[in-house]
Amino acid sequence: MLDFHTLAEFSRANCVSICAFLVPANLIATSLTIILTFLQRQIWQTVGIASIFAFVMVLHVYTWFAIGVVMAPTYILLCLAISCLLSNLVAVMVRKYQMNSLRLSNNA
């Protein structure tokens, strides 16, 4: 069974290494999603991976909020994760718009 208290303690104990991985992973995966969107390529895998990284970062930040740590780094990391999630959502909407306009131009 999954023990959330132990998982939260692990997250807080290894904060530097978790953030050292998640910050570049979020930035690279979201940048790749944006690039692939502009190149009109398939983005579904990169959106999924980038969203998982961002969601894990949100959960990591919430473990700090749960014990009452309210500092600038927690808000900065939360804003980064939310902006990555929103960027991926916008990329999905742009890609759907591209696909619909492509279908309409082929039907005409």
Side-chain angles (χ1 to χ4, degrees), residues 10-77:
F10 174 81
S11 175
R12 289 189 295 269
N14 297 304
C15 181
V16 173
S17 58
I18 289 171
C19 289
F21 170 75
L22 284 178
V23 170
N26 270 316
L27 294 174
I28 291 170
T30 302
S31 299
L32 184 60
T33 301
I34 293 169
I35 291 168
L36 290 176
T37 302
F38 284 124
L39 294 176
Q40 297 183 357
R41 303 281 190 239
Q42 291 296 325
I43 61 167
W44 309 115
Q45 289 178 336
T46 57
V47 166
I49 293 169
S51 297
I52 288 171
F53 287 149
F55 185 68
V56 168
M57 183 175 285
V58 168
L59 291 177
H60 174 66
V61 170
Y62 281 154
T63 64
W64 285 104
F65 285 151
I67 63 168
V69 175
V70 180
M71 296 172 43
T74 53
Y75 286 113
I76 291 168
L77 290 173

